[in-house]
Each structure stands twice: as structure tokens, then as C-alpha cells.
Amino acid sequence: MKKKKIYRKLLIIAILAYAIFTIISQQKVLDQYTKNSKELAVKIEEKKAYKEELIAEKENVDSKEFIEEMAREKLDMYYPNEKIYIDKGM
């Protein structure tokens, strides 16, 4: 009889220890998922802002100012009577 009570108590202790271990390990996993979720939410917001910038730039592509700026920066094109000074000291 006493052996059965001891085994029962040991079984209950083992089950409780397993339950506590499982809860703790699941909490760590949940914390990691929460952290990842927050990081992904920040990345999503950054991508949305970048998308808005691209949309604004897309709307501006046909403007004369944008075309002139791209011709100057990317193609090194200038007006015929325009003088360009390059500072090589930097």
C-alpha cells in the first residue's frame, strides 16, 4: 500500500515537472515569435514607406525637372552654354 502511494506521488511529481518544463519552453518559443512579429511589422512599415516614395517618383518621371536632373546626374549632359566646375580637391 505504501509503495503505491509513493509511486503515485512520484508519478504526480514527474507529471508536474514535465508540465512546468513544457510551459517554460513554450513561453520561450512564444517570446521569440513575438519578437519576430515585431521585427517583421517594422520591416513592413519600412517597405510601405519605400513604396510610397517609388509611387511619388513614378508620378514625377515625366516632369521636365526630373528628366533634366537624370540627364545631368546619370548621363553627364549639360546645356551647350553651361560651364561646369569640378572640385578635385575633395
Side-chain angles (χ1 to χ4, degrees):
M1 220 37 161
K2 279 192 170 193
K3 267 191 172 182
K4 283 187 178 182
K5 285 184 180 181
I6 291 174
Y7 286 131
R8 235 184 237 165
K9 286 181 181 181
L10 286 175
L11 181 63
I12 291 171
I13 290 172
I15 291 172
L16 286 174
Y18 175 75
I20 290 170
F21 174 77
T22 303
I23 290 171
I24 290 172
S25 63
Q26 286 179 350
Q27 187 62 42
K28 288 180 183 178
V29 170
L30 286 174
D31 289 343
Q32 184 63 37
Y33 286 156
T34 303
K35 180 181 174 187
N36 289 347
S37 174
K38 289 178 182 177
E39 289 173 359
L40 290 174
V42 168
K43 285 183 181 180
I44 288 172
E45 291 303 317
E46 289 173 355
K47 296 296 180 183
K48 283 182 181 178
Y50 181 66
K51 179 182 173 185
E52 293 297 323
E53 289 175 17
L54 289 177
I55 289 171
E57 187 174 325
K58 179 183 172 188
E59 293 172 356
N60 190 28
V61 166
D62 293 329
S63 72
K64 182 179 177 183
E65 292 83 15
F66 182 79
I67 294 170
E68 186 176 317
E69 180 182 339
M70 287 299 112
R72 288 174 184 272
E73 290 179 10
K74 305 289 183 186
L75 303 174
D76 288 330
M77 297 175 74
Y78 304 99
Y79 288 112
N81 59 352
E82 190 173 23
K83 292 182 181 179
I84 305 301
Y85 296 99
I86 299 174
D87 184 12
K88 292 187 178 186
M90 297 184 118

